[in-house]
């Protein structure tokens, strides 16, 4: 039996993920997106390796992610590549140049705060999930407005139409995903 590829490992981990409902919104629960159920280190390594393989690292100055579930990916990719990292936080620190951004997911609204991004920095944004694009869209717009160069945007799991919508509305944003899923009859299905 041949070893599984990183993509097979990620996709296999998504199959059978529990589903809960937040109002009318089906929400899948996965270690990459929620920190539960417990994460097999093989899944994090596979996801990290997929991201690392996709990126032209000579064109990246900084890796950025969004609190909280972007943190495992940010730490793993930053450690493996030696690139510096910045976390977009859900609370203000009041640092000079801090930028406040209102974000909205399929089931909640919140505020994020961006610090320590310099104009002209070529950044890679990594995140756990894109569904509606309601979190990623205002954050990417704010990063651009700060003068950062969105060199690459990689999201581990794609569910819904958010990436496709942003590709049409903001075609210059380089948003790519590792695994695309849908929820069919209360179960996670992999879309090829």
């Amino acid at each position: 039996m041949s070893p599984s590829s990183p993509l097979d490992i990620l996709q296999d981990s998504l199959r059978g993920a529990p589903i809960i409902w937040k109002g009318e919104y089906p929400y899948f629960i996965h270690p990459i997106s929620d920190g539960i159920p417990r994460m097999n280190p093989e899944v994090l390594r596979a996801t990290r390796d997929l991201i690392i393989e996709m990126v032209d690292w000579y064109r990246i100055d900084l890796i950025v992610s969004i609190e909280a579930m972007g943190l495992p990916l940010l730490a793993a990719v930053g450690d493996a590549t030696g690139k510096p990292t910045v976390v977009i936080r859900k609370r203000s620190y009041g640092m000079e140049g801090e930028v406040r951004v209102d974000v909205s997911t399929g089931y909640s609204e919140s505020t994020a705060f961006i610090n320590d991004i310099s104009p002209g920095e070529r950044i890679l944004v990594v995140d756990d999930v894109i569904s509606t694009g309601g979190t990623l869209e205002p954050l990417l717009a704010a990063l651009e407005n700060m003068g950062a160069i969105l060199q690459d945007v990689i999201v581990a799991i794609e569910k819904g139409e958010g990436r496709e919508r942003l590709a049409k509305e903001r075609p210059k944003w380089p948003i790519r995903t590792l695994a695309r899923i849908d929820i069919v009859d209360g179960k996670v299905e992999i879309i090829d």
Side-chain angles (χ1 to χ4, degrees):
M1 185 163 118
S2 64
S4 296
S5 73
L7 184 57
D8 290 336
I9 292 167
L10 176 59
Q11 289 178 340
D12 287 347
S13 75
L14 287 161
R15 289 183 181 93
I19 306 296
I20 62 171
W21 289 86
K22 294 192 175 216
E24 298 293 316
Y25 186 83
Y27 188 94
F28 71 98
I29 302 171
H30 186 268
I32 292 290
S33 58
D34 300 286
I36 55 173
R38 68 182 68 188
M39 184 168 339
N40 179 333
E42 183 179 55
V43 174
L44 181 58
R45 280 192 299 272
T47 307
R48 174 203 65 198
D49 291 350
L50 287 166
I51 293 169
I52 290 170
E53 291 169 12
M54 293 174 74
V55 175
D56 179 355
W57 291 101
Y58 292 105
R59 299 178 66 184
I60 302 297
D61 300 316
L62 179 68
I63 309 168
V64 176
S65 193
I66 303 142
E67 184 178 43
M69 289 317 303
L71 296 180
L73 295 175
L74 181 72
V77 173
D79 179 58
T81 62
K83 295 290 183 177
T85 62
V86 165
V87 177
I88 297 174
R89 299 294 310 264
K90 293 182 179 176
R91 67 177 180 168
S92 173
Y93 285 80
M95 292 177 60
E96 185 178 332
E98 181 175 79
V99 173
R100 175 191 166 118
V101 183
D102 293 321
V103 298
S104 175
T105 69
Y107 54 88
S108 70
E109 294 181 3
S110 63
T111 303
F113 298 88
I114 305 173
N115 285 286
D116 201 18
I117 305 289
S118 299
E121 279 188 301
R122 301 169 302 168
I123 62 172
L124 162 66
V125 176
V126 295
D127 201 10
D128 60 326
V129 176
I130 184 169
S131 295
T132 66
T135 300
L136 204 54
E137 182 174 21
L139 292 173
L140 294 180
L143 288 164
E144 266 189 338
N145 290 338
M146 294 172 75
I149 299 165
L150 299 176
Q151 197 66 44
D152 212 340
V153 180
I154 300 179
V155 182
I157 305 164
E158 175 182 351
K159 174 190 167 286
E161 306 300 323
R163 186 196 55 79
E164 290 176 6
R165 179 182 64 80
L166 292 179
K168 289 176 187 169
E169 294 175 11
R170 305 279 194 138
K172 66 180 181 168
W173 286 353
I175 302 171
R176 302 186 287 163
T177 59
L178 304 180
R180 189 169 174 219
I181 67 165
D182 195 3
I183 297 176
V184 179
D185 297 327
K187 295 180 181 177
V188 172
E189 297 285 336
I190 306 297
I191 300 171
D192 292 323

